[in-house]
Amino acid sequence: MTKPNMFVLVTGVCVALLFAAGSVGAATKVQDVIRMEHKAYSEHTKGIVDFSHKKHNEEYKIGCGECHHDADGKPLNDLKMGDDVKGCIECHKIPSRMPGALKKEMREKKVPKKEIAAKEMEYHAEAIHENCIACHKDYKKKDKETLAPTSCSKCHPKTKK
């Protein structure tokens, strides 16, 4: 290879590496308010929750790891605003709540509670409710005056049919 061709090759590789490095650090824009609506659901039985990501993070000082976790359920405390994260439905793949009949059947078969809870977490709506409601209930225990809602209607607005 001649010197000019080697220069072009090395320069090309360096430029490609710079673009690759830039894309690795690229962040995802986090919306201030996230509409908790997903195309996996054909219909919603309750009003759609508008989750204020900005308010929870900035005003309430809730860290990323309080909501975002890894495949083992361990908090992702090292996340920073704008880091690329998976959506809940990427792991909690069934777009609904766990059917009551299935829960009842598992209880009747004396399936251990831990296994029932694990099965519930396969359901997207169950995982989200567990994440949000459990956190809100914990805050209520610490501060009875908190506005953290724990009932359906406080998060899910009434919809007109």
Side-chain angles (χ1 to χ4, degrees), residues 2 15-16 30 32 109 111 140 147:
T2 64
V15 169
V30 179
D32 291 347
K109 289 181 177 179
V111 173
K140 286 262 191 227
L147 298 176

Side-chain angles (χ1 to χ4, degrees), residues 22-32 34 53-54 57-58 64 68 79-87 90:
S23 67
V24 168
T28 301
K29 170 83 172 101
V30 179
Q31 299 169 329
D32 291 347
I34 299 168
H53 189 271
K54 182 176 182 173
N57 185 254
E58 293 178 13
C64 302
H68 300 281
L79 289 175
K80 292 174 284 320
M81 188 62 80
D83 282 353
D84 197 21
V85 296
K86 286 184 175 183
E90 291 182 55

Side-chain angles (χ1 to χ4, degrees), residues 57-72:
N57 185 254
E58 293 178 13
E59 188 177 323
Y60 305 151
K61 305 289 185 225
I62 296 172
C64 302
E66 297 284 330
C67 300
H68 300 281
H69 59 89
D70 66 13
D72 297 321

